[in-house]
Amino acid sequence: TQLLEQSPQFLSIQEGENLTVYCNSSSVFSSLQWYRQEPGEGPVLLVTVVTGGEVKKLKRLTFQFGDARKDSSLHITAAQPGDTGLYLCAGRLPGGGYQKVTFGTGTKLQVIP
Amino acid sequence: EPEVTQTPSHQVTQMGQEVILRCVPISNHLYFYWYRQILGQKVEFLVSFYNNEISEKSEIFDDQFSVERPDGSNFTLKIRSTKLEDSAMYFCASSEDRGASEAFFGQGTRLTVV
């Protein structure tokens, strides 16, 4: 059983289209991060959300943390070929000694020019 | 902009050999991590390190693995006797504190065990 499930696993869209990627769990997270990873490179942090219901915008990317802090979504408006990559959500579970970040299963996005 | 740096970028080793992967975390960060990603699979937590000791480790981090901060700047991951299944990308990360603080990742070391 995966702690953090992402959907869809793969997404191929045309340039200019909108898309939403989902990250779901049955566990409550103290914070959740979204990363983008290019092939052969490390994950690059896009955003951290902490408060239930929080919405953050990063240019054409909109991130939302669910009210119950169990899920999150990433919405991309007018996708561009440069958005192509692997999108990972990652969460920290609450608790004093819990430092590790648990990664989701990933969504591979391809934006076709 | 501060970044986590890892060396080497690619390491090829024979099965049974020892390897040391090196990382220089961001200078004011206090928490350090190693993760690995087997080709085509998800990023998996290995170990976290704080105040010169392991604070948490996963079931993957068995007796063959060890971590060290030998000189106050480098953070190393040692695999004593490599196995074929240790082939993966190994990512070092660091964070300012625990809790909500985000972790910043290095570019990774691709370890190939032959």
Side-chain angles (χ1 to χ4, degrees), chain A residues 1 10 16 19 22 29 32 34 36 61 71 84 106:
Chain A
T1 304
F10 302 98
L19 67 115
Y22 299 93
F29 289 92
L32 196 136
W34 283 92
R36 192 172 88 186
L61 279 58
D71 53 83
T84 294

Side-chain angles (χ1 to χ4, degrees), chain A residues 18-87:
Chain A
N18 301 332
L19 67 115
T20 302
V21 175
Y22 299 93
C23 174
N24 293 297
S25 176
S26 57
S27 300
V28 175
F29 289 92
S30 61
S31 68
L32 196 136
Q33 290 88 41
W34 283 92
Y35 291 85
R36 192 172 88 186
Q37 186 180 22
E38 306 280 351
E41 296 185 11
V44 176
L45 180 70
L46 297 174
V47 79
T48 296
V49 285
V50 178
T51 308
E54 183 176 3
V55 176
K56 278 192 176 177
K57 293 198 177 207
L58 188 67
K59 297 183 182 176
R60 293 177 294 100
L61 279 58
T62 302
F63 305 86
Q64 185 161 11
F65 202 13
D67 291 342
R69 292 186 293 148
K70 292 183 179 182
D71 53 83
S72 180
S73 64
L74 157 61
H75 181 80
I76 301 179
T77 304
Q80 297 176 2
D83 295 328
T84 294
L86 178 67
Y87 288 83

Side-chain angles (χ1 to χ4, degrees), chain A residues 2 30-31 33 35 37 40-43 45 48 50 86 88 92 96-101 103-104, chain B residues 31 33 35 37 42-43 45 48 55-56 89 91 95 98-107 110:
Chain A
Q2 300 284 355
S30 61
S31 68
Q33 290 88 41
Y35 291 85
Q37 186 180 22
E41 296 185 11
L45 180 70
T48 296
V50 178
L86 178 67
L88 300 166
R92 286 186 189 273
Y98 228 92
Q99 296 146 27
K100 73 177 186 185
V101 170
F103 278 84
Chain B
Y31 291 82
Y33 315 85
Y35 289 78
Q37 186 177 33
K42 63 184 280 188
V43 178
F45 170 78
S48 62
S55 49
E56 191 174 6
M89 282 289 282
F91 295 108
S95 64
R98 63 183 186 195
S101 174
E102 52 262 22
F104 292 87
F105 284 75
Q107 295 285 75
R110 179 173 297 284

Side-chain angles (χ1 to χ4, degrees), chain A residues 91-111:
Chain A
R92 286 186 189 273
L93 291 168
Y98 228 92
Q99 296 146 27
K100 73 177 186 185
V101 170
T102 300
F103 278 84
T105 49
T107 294
K108 192 169 286 189
L109 171 65
Q110 181 187 35
V111 182

Side-chain angles (χ1 to χ4, degrees), chain B residues 5-67:
Chain B
T5 56
Q6 290 185 243
T7 54
S9 56
H10 192 185
Q11 172 99 39
V12 181
T13 188
Q14 286 203 319
M15 192 168 58
Q17 294 296 304
E18 174 184 286
V19 293
I20 298 176
L21 310 182
R22 301 179 194 279
C23 169
V24 179
I26 294 174
S27 61
N28 64 330
H29 285 187
L30 301 176
Y31 291 82
F32 315 115
Y33 315 85
W34 283 101
Y35 289 78
R36 79 170 185 191
Q37 186 177 33
I38 295 170
L39 186 64
Q41 297 186 24
K42 63 184 280 188
V43 178
E44 301 173 292
F45 170 78
L46 292 178
V47 66
S48 62
F49 191 84
Y50 170 71
N51 201 26
N52 281 321
E53 59 183 25
I54 291 173
S55 49
E56 191 174 6
K57 60 183 181 179
S58 72
E59 61 277 4
I60 303 169
F61 194 88
D62 61 21
D63 292 345
Q64 293 299 311
F65 292 89
S66 63
V67 289

